[in-house]
Amino acid sequence: MRGRTGQRLSGLVDQNGFEAPTIPAWMRWLLGLYVLFVLLLEYVTPTQWAVSSLLIAVPVLAAFTYGPAGVAVITVCAVVLEGVLAGTPCCTGTNIHQLWENHYVATYIATSVVGVLGVALAGYRRRQQRHLVRVHSVAEALMRTLLRPVPHRVGKVLAAGLYRSGEIGTMVGGDLYDIRATQAGERAIIGDVRGKGLQAVRTVADILGSFREAVYDTGDLLSVAARMERRLAREADEIPDDELFVTAALVEYDARAEQVTIINHGHIEPVLISGGEVTALTGPPALPLGLGGLAAERPVSYTHPFSCGDVLLLCTDGLIEARDDNGAFYPLLDRLTRRFAGRPAPGPAEVVDFLNADLPRHTRVLHDDVAILALSPCEPNAVG
């Protein structure tokens, strides 16, 4: 599985290697800039103004970026600096006896109290971050179990996959993909569950579980889709949810006939890169999985030639609906044409790597999950 969005927090890593989001750089500079501001204000204001009282806020600022020990040390330094500003004739023009005047002593005490609270706040923040790491670890481990890494080769096809979550710092989402080698040929699915959160993950688990069982049974691709339709209908009754559905595209590769069979349940059309041309493979539409009972007719499959050197790209709408700063959608066909038209046939990994690098150039923030699966027939002499 390629690609993982998310920020990083140094030092907060669990045994599985998952990390919490990092602290923004501007927060690390905020404390030092604030102290410099107080010193500058002390320099330009009259001597009788107790500007050093502003240092009371230092422990609170430190609590957002440092641990409890760091906040304690910074609190002590803040109190010392307040004393320096209160009673150093050479630096601030004040007399040494002012060091213990009532309002300065009150400032020292207030800073110490705020420091104790800052230490407690820093400790609470660290505990919450470690809890966040554990929660993300469980959620990501679940998604890694469901969306297993795509092998470089599956049966008689080469394959590559990419998953990017729209949720910062986690890979939990409602997009799915899988590919299996069966006696009927290599069968793949890509889908997008309606909704977000744990309910979407539950639906992903049900759909992938149903797919992984059905693809090995006797029957064509339509029977696989029918079995998934029934499973989703049962889940909708269990929740209950009358609007539960999954858009999905199912693909079956026949090496002998050199063609792919496609069933499109309301999903984005697969894209074929063949002979230097990029084409969307359109066919008879069908309702999304879970809504099949609303249609009188059964879904219809369609076929297309698929031979060595071709690449079939399956993706979810998070890719084509990614917007740039001007609100324009990601022009998938144009980008693929610009990159691969008139050039030697790419491999699945090359196509996925290109999209993985090109998408961040188009949009800085993903608002939806992105799943990509690319397939290509193996060379005849490479087929075992």
Side-chain angles (χ1 to χ4, degrees):
M1 184 180 303
R2 299 165 179 264
R4 177 185 173 196
T5 57
Q7 301 169 327
R8 299 170 71 85
L9 174 62
S10 177
L12 289 180
V13 186
D14 78 341
Q15 67 271 19
N16 295 319
F18 300 108
E19 303 179 58
T22 187
I23 297 173
W26 64 269
M27 291 190 66
R28 296 185 179 276
W29 289 97
L30 184 60
L31 178 60
L33 292 175
Y34 182 78
V35 174
L36 289 177
F37 168 75
V38 173
L39 294 177
L40 178 62
L41 200 62
E42 176 72 32
Y43 177 76
V44 299
T45 55
T47 302
Q48 62 270 23
W49 290 17
V51 176
S52 61
S53 299
L54 295 175
L55 293 174
I56 294 175
V58 166
V60 175
L61 295 177
F64 285 97
T65 53
Y66 294 90
V71 174
V73 172
I74 291 174
T75 300
V76 173
C77 294
V79 173
V80 171
L81 183 57
E82 289 171 346
V84 171
L85 296 178
T88 53
C90 63
C91 298
T92 61
T94 57
N95 296 320
I96 190 69
H97 70 274
Q98 294 181 348
L99 180 65
W100 301 109
E101 287 189 355
N102 290 341
H103 64 281
Y104 284 117
V105 173
T107 299
Y108 309 150
I109 296 175
T111 304
S112 301
V113 172
V114 173
V116 172
L117 297 177
V119 169
L121 177 61
Y124 176 78
R125 178 179 59 83
R126 281 295 178 93
R127 289 192 298 273
Q128 288 297 102
Q129 287 177 332
R130 290 191 173 93
H131 175 70
L132 178 65
V133 169
R134 289 193 293 270
V135 171
H136 282 180
S137 298
V138 173
E140 293 195 19
L142 173 61
M143 289 301 295
R144 289 179 185 272
T145 301
L146 296 176
L147 298 181
R148 300 167 188 172
V150 177
H152 172 67
R153 176 176 167 180
V154 180
K156 299 178 181 179
V157 301
L158 302 178
L162 166 69
Y163 183 89
R164 283 179 175 269
S165 174
E167 297 290 337
I168 297 298
T170 180
M171 60 175 292
V172 175
D175 286 8
L176 59 98
Y177 57 75
D178 197 11
I179 179 171
R180 299 281 158 161
T182 72
Q183 292 182 349
E186 288 66 38
R187 290 174 168 176
I189 182 176
I190 191 162
D192 187 356
V193 176
R194 184 194 69 85
K196 301 287 185 180
L198 294 179
Q199 179 54 53
V201 175
R202 170 180 171 175
T203 305
V204 168
D206 286 338
I207 287 294
L208 287 178
S210 178
F211 172 80
R212 288 164 180 166
E213 291 182 2
V215 291
Y216 294 106
D217 293 344
T218 58
D220 57 11
L221 203 59
L222 289 170
S223 64
V224 176
R227 181 165 176 176
M228 296 170 64
E229 176 75 36
R230 291 192 297 270
R231 179 64 190 94
L232 203 58
R234 288 196 299 270
E235 183 186 355
D237 292 337
E238 293 171 2
I239 298 178
D241 185 355
D242 295 334
E243 298 181 353
L244 180 64
F245 65 85
V246 178
T247 65
L250 284 80
V251 174
E252 179 182 280
Y253 170 60
D254 187 339
R256 292 184 178 179
E258 292 189 336
Q259 68 178 20
V260 286
T261 300
I262 302 170
I263 303 177
N264 193 333
H265 285 273
H267 201 71
I268 302 168
E269 295 87 357
V271 176
L272 180 67
I273 305 175
S274 177
E277 296 183 357
V278 179
T279 309
L281 302 184
T282 59
L287 290 176
L289 296 172
L291 303 180
L294 302 178
E297 301 82 10
R298 293 188 61 192
V300 178
S301 62
Y302 58 101
T303 61
H304 196 279
F306 189 51
S307 56
C308 195
D310 296 345
V311 175
L312 186 67
L313 178 67
L314 308 172
C315 67
T316 56
D317 57 8
L319 176 63
I320 63 172
E321 294 180 359
R323 297 176 181 266
D324 62 11
D325 294 335
N326 298 321
F329 291 120
Y330 181 74
L332 176 60
L333 296 181
D334 291 342
R335 294 294 182 101
L336 291 175
T337 300
R338 188 180 308 171
R339 174 64 179 84
F340 298 109
R343 299 188 181 186
E350 185 180 353
V351 175
V352 170
D353 288 342
F354 165 72
L355 294 174
N356 191 26
D358 191 55
L359 183 60
R361 288 193 287 263
H362 178 81
T363 182
R364 290 178 295 178
V365 179
L366 288 176
H367 297 286
D368 197 4
D369 307 325
V370 173
I372 302 172
L373 183 63
L375 313 173
S376 179
C378 295
E379 295 286 347
N381 57 5
V383 176

